[in-house]
């Protein structure tokens, strides 16, 4: 099974290493052609404005819409979650809009160092390590969105159909729980 990692900007290599660790070959996606045959696509953290600019320039915006319409699974982390969101504030900006959530960019302030929290989730009994780096806050979620983890009163890990989004960076921890969950999701989505 092939899972893609959008590799135009940000911390995509850490996602690739996590997939390799789980026995899945990562495909680094830089052009629309790279999406062929993928069961899922990870959109990494980085800077969402830069991501949107490059996606538009490379013709990837349309390609991702097509890939989504055809049933492709997505996992967005931090800036990736912002790109997937239906609505983006602070400032308002365009997004892919596949996931029915509204987000506030840099919702905790533009902290330079990372904040690590431990929190409960629906994915396992032990707490999840959550690394927040200039993270967005999920302000509201639509009725079809399942909240898998919360932190400080806000959803931080959510799922809707074959779309998964975290406002933190699971790829920067040694815990592969969320990536394993996404791989299962991508596999099941195409049965
Ligand atoms: N602050 C970034 C943005 O708004 C996201 C940061 C991240 O992905 N770690 O796009």
């Amino acid at each position: 099974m092939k899972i893609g990692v959008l590799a135009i900007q940000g911390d995509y290599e850490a996602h690739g290493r996590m997939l390799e660790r789980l026995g899945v070959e990562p495909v680094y996606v830089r052009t629309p052609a790279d999406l062929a045959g993928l069961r899922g696509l990870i959109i990494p953290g980085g800077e969402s404005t830069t991501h949107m600019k490059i996606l538009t320039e490379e013709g990837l915006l349309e390609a991702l819409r097509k890939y989504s319409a055809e049933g492709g699974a997505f996992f967005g982390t931090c800036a990736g979650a912002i790109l997937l969101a239906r609505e983006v504030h602070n400032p308002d900006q365009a997004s892919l809009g596949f996931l029915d959530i509204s987000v506030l960019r840099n919702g905790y302030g533009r902290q330079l160092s990372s904040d690590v929290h431990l929190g409960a989730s629906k994915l396992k009994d032990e707490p999840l390590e959550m690394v927040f780096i200039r993270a967005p806050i999920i302000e509201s979620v639509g009725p079809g969105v399942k909240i898998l983890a919360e932190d400080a009163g806000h959803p931080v890990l959510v799922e809707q159909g074959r779309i998964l989004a975290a406002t933190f960076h699971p790829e920067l921890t040694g815990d592969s729980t969320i990536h394993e969950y996404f791989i299962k999701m991508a596999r099941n989505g195409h049965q």
Side-chain angles (χ1 to χ4, degrees):
M1 182 174 75
K2 289 202 295 183
I3 302 265
V5 184
L6 189 66
I8 53 176
Q9 204 255 339
D11 72 336
Y12 52 87
E13 280 174 343
H15 281 289
R17 282 194 294 273
M18 189 65 104
L19 291 177
E20 275 166 9
R21 220 180 96 185
L22 297 171
V24 172
E25 177 203 350
V27 176
Y28 292 106
V29 172
R30 296 186 174 93
T31 67
D34 296 334
L35 290 167
L38 297 184
R39 307 282 292 253
L41 178 70
I42 297 178
I43 307 185
E47 204 59 41
S48 54
T49 37
T50 312
H51 259 119
M52 273 310 278
K53 189 169 168 281
I54 302 173
L55 286 179
T56 311
E57 286 168 3
E58 298 300 317
L60 272 161
L61 216 50
E62 276 319 302
L64 289 180
R65 287 193 206 290
K66 187 163 168 273
Y67 175 72
S68 172
E70 287 166 356
F74 287 90
F75 175 25
T77 56
C78 203
I82 297 172
L83 290 175
L84 290 171
R86 180 179 46 78
E87 212 175 292
V88 182
H89 302 290
N90 191 33
D92 290 6
Q93 70 183 35
S95 55
L96 293 164
F98 303 152
L99 174 62
D100 192 8
I101 62 172
S102 157
V103 299
L104 185 72
R105 289 183 60 204
N106 300 307
Y108 304 87
R110 295 188 63 94
Q111 78 267 27
L112 292 177
S113 57
S114 57
D115 254 355
V116 184
H117 298 181
L118 285 178
S121 79
K122 294 211 162 78
L123 300 192
K124 63 173 195 172
D125 293 337
E126 301 79 33
L128 272 185
E129 191 180 339
M130 302 170 181
V131 180
F132 294 93
I133 305 171
R134 299 191 310 281
I137 280 182
I138 299 180
E139 300 173 296
S140 65
V141 304
V145 177
K146 200 160 129 193
I147 297 171
L148 299 175
E150 286 184 310
D151 181 71
H154 296 286
V156 291
L157 178 65
V158 297
E159 171 186 357
Q160 181 180 25
R162 56 205 159 61
I163 301 178
L164 182 67
T167 61
F168 55 95
H169 290 267
E171 77 283 7
L172 298 182
T173 71
D175 187 346
S176 57
T177 305
I178 303 180
H179 285 79
E180 282 171 50
Y181 188 75
F182 178 62
I183 290 168
K184 274 197 207 118
M185 205 165 154
R187 192 173 276 137
N188 296 339
H190 283 68
Q191 271 174 0

